[in-house]
Structure formats: C-alpha cells, structure tokens
Amino acid sequence: MKEFWNDRSPRERILLLIAAGLFAVGMVYYLVASPLGQWRSAMERDKEMATQTYSMIVEAASKGADANARVPGAVSSEPIRNTLIQTARANAITLNFVNRRPNGDVEANVDAVEAAVLYRWLRQLEESSAIKAISADIAREQSNSGLVRAQLVFGRAQ
C-alpha cells in the first residue's frame, strides 16, 4: 500500500485524499445522519398520532361517561314528560300534545316527522332513559308519504 502511495504524484495524492474525505462524509451521512433524521421524523409522527389518539380517547370517555350515566333498564328520577320533551327537541321532533295520565304514563302526539327519526328517538328513549312506548298509533302523512304522525303512550320499562 505504501508503494502505491509513493508511486502517486502530489497532485494525485491530493485528489485521492479529497475523494477519501468525500467518501467518508458520504458514509457518515448515509450511515448516521440520515437514519437519525428519519428516526426523528418518525418519532414526530408517532407523537402526533399518540396525541390524536389520546384526544379521541378523552372525547370517547367523556361521551361514554354521559351515555353510561343512565344504565339501560334503570329507573330515572326525572319525570317522563321532561325527558320526552328534552329528547324530542334534541332529535328535531315536534310534540303537539304531551299529557300525564293518572297512572304515571304520558301521552304524546308527534307532528309530521321522518319514520327513521321517530324510530331512532324511540330506541334512544328505551336505551338511555328506560322509557318505553306502551302503545303507538303511527300513520303516514297524507301530503307526504315520507313523513309519519304518531300518537304514543309512554311508560317506564319494568
């Protein structure tokens, strides 16, 4: 190796040293700097994903706590009439008539609404408030067959 080096002119030696230096810098970049940069950007992505996941978990936990505040089947202390009015308003359902019966049940007339919205509201009442439709008279709206009107009697699920 020493003979090879001694056979080279000073100009060739300088060029070989520059080439070896560039090669060393390139190897350091590709073997050390680039992987460190990729690792750092991967950690940033992981951190962002963890932050988003944490936010979703916090949101789901808060919603879950609200949804589980009333266990299905548990009797609520809130009057049926109040629950009907509040949940109907939240579901964009208009109640024309709400009247409490002497036995504690509540009669209600639902103005024209889409059938899917009505059934979703009834399911929500049963699942979250243990309020069940004891009797129902549901008829299609004459002017718009996509809408229905309903006369319902509600009571607590036993």
Side-chain angles (χ1 to χ4, degrees):
M1 182 78 167
K2 195 172 189 181
E3 186 179 317
F4 172 79
W5 186 254
N6 289 334
D7 288 344
R8 303 290 158 225
S9 69
R11 183 176 178 192
E12 290 176 326
R13 288 179 190 167
I14 291 175
L15 287 175
L16 286 172
L17 286 174
I18 291 173
L22 288 175
F23 179 77
V25 168
M27 293 305 291
V28 166
Y29 175 77
Y30 283 111
L31 296 177
V32 177
S34 179
L36 284 176
Q38 291 173 356
W39 175 79
R40 182 175 180 184
S41 64
M43 289 298 111
E44 288 293 326
R45 284 191 307 271
D46 290 348
K47 177 185 170 191
E48 182 63 32
M49 185 174 286
T51 303
Q52 290 174 354
T53 302
Y54 177 75
S55 297
M56 289 185 341
I57 289 171
V58 167
E59 182 180 344
S62 68
K63 287 182 180 178
D66 292 342
N68 291 329
R70 289 197 177 135
V71 177
V75 177
S76 173
S77 61
E78 186 173 356
I80 295 173
R81 185 177 193 280
N82 293 356
T83 304
L84 290 177
I85 292 170
Q86 291 170 359
T87 57
R89 187 177 304 132
N91 286 288
I93 294 174
T94 304
L95 298 176
N96 291 333
F97 174 79
V98 180
N99 190 26
R100 186 174 182 273
R101 288 183 165 182
N103 65 354
D105 294 342
V106 175
E107 295 177 56
N109 288 350
V110 176
D111 197 12
V113 66
E114 292 181 14
V117 173
L118 176 66
Y119 294 129
R120 183 177 48 238
W121 177 57
L122 293 173
R123 185 174 56 249
Q124 176 190 1
L125 284 170
E126 189 169 347
E127 291 174 354
S128 66
S129 304
I131 296 174
K132 205 172 198 176
I134 297 170
S135 69
D137 181 14
I138 301 172
R140 288 188 187 270
E141 179 71 18
Q142 291 178 358
S143 61
N144 184 348
S145 63
L147 301 177
V148 295
R149 290 183 181 271
Q151 296 177 348
L152 304 157
V153 177
F154 293 97
R156 293 270 180 211
Q158 301 301 334

